Amino acid sequence: MSKKKPWYIENPDSYNTLRREVENIFPELSFVERVGEVCIEGDLHILDNSGKVLYRFSIRVKLSEQSPRGLPTVWETGGRIPWERERHMNPHDGSACIYLPEEFWYENPNGISISEFIRGPLTGFLINQILIDKSENHKWLKGEWDHGENGIIEFYAEHLGTSEPNNILRCLTMLRKKDTKEIKGHWLCPCGSGHKLRDCHRLNINELHKRIPSEVTEASHTKLKRAVQELRNSH
Ligand SMILES: [Zn+2]
Ligand SMILES: [Zn+2]
């Protein structure tokens, strides 16, 4: 099976347009093209209301390979943010967890542009880190998903009304199917009600399937399955 080429190789015109746009808006950021990846690197300035620079963060933003409007991967490269789950930083590679991928796609079914991403969610994430530093208990301030597999469970619990990991796993098994038609109405609903899907959470499942790409549900399935097995082995 040949891997699909990244969009920025397939479509150099839209890549150049995007690059010009980002470099115009953020003169301190530049594009770095390496084998197999394109990153935006440099300083991101957090301004006050009068436009004065309050904080500077060194960042590296790796473009999504799937789409110019897909979810990028972000690192803070200045060593300011500790690699801790409580900070929504992934301890194994130091990448920032700006979004639970499910949340990103559910909120933005068509994705968002990279400059919107930098100005909106990424800047918000960095401001949150400053607020954590300034707060007394060093806790994440805005109410949102827990990190890692707990975040996955919380997200699906909201849509299915169950936080039982095995139910969420069954839901993910359905959602990772490529075509909605492969998800059969006579199957038992993954919420655990004992009803058939067509008489229960069919519409919720359809909506989740429509908005969230199958690579995302596939990755969450793998992550959650591993967590459930580890939990079982530890008992
Ligand atoms: Zn997180
Ligand atoms: Zn149900």
Side-chain angles (χ1 to χ4, degrees), residues 84-90 96-100 125 140 144-148 151:
E84 294 167 357
R85 288 174 66 105
E86 293 73 26
R87 295 264 186 163
H88 284 279
M89 298 290 286
N90 293 308
C97 159
I98 313 278
Y99 265 112
L100 184 71
F125 180 86
W140 194 259
E144 61 134 81
W145 313 110
D146 200 346
H147 187 78

Side-chain angles (χ1 to χ4, degrees), residues 160 189-193 200-201:
L160 282 179
C189 188
C191 75
S193 65
C200 204
H201 284 87

Side-chain angles (χ1 to χ4, degrees), residues 29 38-42 44 57-64 70-77 81 83 88-90 93-99 114 117-118 121-123 125-126 129:
L29 294 176
V38 175
C39 290
I40 304 171
E41 301 183 359
L44 184 61
F57 283 94
S58 303
I59 54 161
R60 178 151 66 96
V61 178
K62 181 172 168 269
L63 297 189
S64 154
L71 181 60
T73 314
V74 176
W75 291 268
E76 184 270 320
T77 50
I81 309 175
W83 293 9
H88 284 279
M89 298 290 286
N90 293 308
D93 66 355
S95 62
C97 159
I98 313 278
Y99 265 112
I114 193 82
F117 176 82
I118 295 173
L122 174 52
T123 299
F125 180 86
L126 296 172
Q129 299 291 340

Side-chain angles (χ1 to χ4, degrees), residues 159-160 162 188-197 199-202 204-205:
H159 293 271
L160 282 179
T162 169
L188 278 182
C189 188
C191 75
S193 65
H195 296 301
K196 287 178 179 156
L197 186 58
D199 302 322
C200 204
H201 284 87
R202 176 89 231 192
N204 306 64
I205 293 284

